Amino acid sequence: MANQLLMPKATAVWLVDNTALTFEQIAQFCNLHPLEVRAIADGEAAQGIKGLDPIMNGQLTRDEIAVAEADPERKLKLSEPKVRVPESKRKGPRYTPLSKRQDRPNAILWLVRNHPELKDAQISRLVGTTKSTIEQIRERTHWNSANLQPLDPVTLGLCSQIDLDLEVQRASRGQPQPAPVGDTLLPASVTEKLPAADEKKEDRELDADAVFAKLSSLKKAPDADEE
C-alpha cells in the first residue's frame, strides 16, 4: 500500500501558518497547485478548515521541515509510517468446511427449484461451488442425481438467510411483477364510465316517486269501483 498524506488541505493550512516553507514546497508536498496554497495564505481558500499537524501524526519531522526551510529548492519527504496496514485481500470463493461439502449438491438442487431466477454465479457465491456442478444438477447429469434431495442451504449452514435474501433480491430486479391476487382497484377507464353518486341518488328519488304514484293510482281504482 503506497504511503499517502492524510488530509492534504488541512496539512497545507498548518504548514502555511506554522512554517517558512515556500508555496511551491507546500504545494508539492500536499499535491496542490501553488496558486491554491497562495489563496490559503491570503485567506481566500480553505476557510473554516482546521490545520492538521503532520508532525503529530508522524508524516513529517521537524528536522525535515528545518532543512527544507533552509533550502527552498528542496522537496519535503513524507516520513515512513511506523505501522504498516496490510492491503485487504481480494474476496475469493466462499470456503465450505469439509464436513458440509457433501451437502452442497442438495443445496444447489433446492436453490435451482425454489429460486430459478438466481444465476449460476450467485449460487456459486452462496454455497461455494463451481458453475460446472450447478450446470450438471440443472441438467440432471450429476453422477449422484438419483439420490439428491433439495435441502435449504440456510438450514445446512452453507449460507446465511441474509445472504440468500440479498441474492434473491438482486436477481429479482428488472423482472415483471407478479399479477395481483384478490380484490383490486378498478382501472380509471372503467371508473370514469360509472354514474356519479348524485346521479344514482336522483335515480332512486325518481323511482320512489314513481312507486308512490303507482300506489296512489291503485288505491283510487277500488274507490271508483265502490261508487
Side-chain angles (χ1 to χ4, degrees):
M1 181 177 179
N3 191 17
Q4 296 181 352
L5 179 66
L6 300 175
M7 302 178 66
K9 279 195 175 182
T11 302
V13 171
W14 189 92
L15 292 174
V16 167
D17 294 338
N18 297 277
T19 67
L21 297 169
T22 64
F23 295 154
E24 287 74 13
Q25 286 175 310
I26 297 175
Q28 177 271 327
F29 181 71
C30 298
N31 196 23
L32 300 174
H33 194 279
L35 294 179
E36 189 173 1
V37 178
R38 182 182 294 275
I40 292 174
D42 295 339
E44 299 176 356
Q47 297 179 357
I49 296 180
K50 185 178 179 180
L52 178 66
D53 187 351
I55 300 175
M56 293 295 294
N57 60 26
Q59 293 199 299
L60 201 59
T61 62
R62 294 187 183 275
D63 293 339
E64 180 68 19
I65 293 176
V67 172
E69 286 177 333
D71 182 8
E73 300 298 327
R74 179 182 174 85
K75 294 182 180 181
L76 291 170
K77 294 182 180 180
L78 195 64
S79 301
E80 290 293 329
K82 296 180 180 179
V83 178
R84 286 284 183 180
V85 179
E87 295 184 7
S88 58
K89 295 182 179 180
R90 185 177 181 181
K91 190 175 180 180
R94 180 187 295 272
Y95 173 75
T96 305
L98 292 174
S99 59
K100 296 182 179 179
R101 291 184 184 179
Q102 60 184 1
D103 295 328
R104 284 188 298 191
N106 295 327
I108 296 170
L109 181 60
W110 187 92
L111 291 171
V112 169
R113 288 187 178 181
N114 292 276
H115 296 287
E117 70 276 10
L118 289 176
K119 299 179 180 179
D120 290 354
Q122 293 178 298
I123 297 177
S124 179
R125 285 197 298 267
L126 287 171
V127 299
T129 186
T130 61
K131 291 186 177 180
S132 61
T133 302
I134 299 172
E135 186 177 355
Q136 291 173 5
I137 294 176
R138 284 185 187 275
E139 299 178 355
R140 298 183 178 275
T141 58
H142 191 268
W143 66 271
N144 197 28
S145 295
N147 299 321
L148 293 181
Q149 296 180 355
L151 296 176
D152 188 349
V154 177
T155 304
L156 295 173
L158 295 174
C159 67
S160 66
Q161 187 65 49
I162 295 177
D163 292 338
L164 176 59
D165 293 342
L166 182 60
E167 294 294 348
V168 172
Q169 183 180 5
R170 289 176 177 173
S172 301
R173 291 176 183 172
Q175 293 189 357
Q177 296 295 327
V181 179
D183 296 336
T184 58
L185 296 176
L186 294 174
S189 59
V190 176
T191 56
E192 290 177 354
K193 297 179 181 180
L194 294 177
D198 294 340
E199 294 179 1
K200 290 183 178 181
K201 184 176 180 182
E202 291 177 0
D203 292 342
R204 287 197 299 268
E205 291 178 353
L206 292 175
D207 292 342
D209 294 340
V211 171
F212 284 122
K214 188 174 182 179
L215 290 174
S216 298
S217 63
L218 292 174
K219 185 178 180 181
K220 291 178 180 180
D223 294 341
D225 295 340
E226 291 178 359
E227 292 178 357

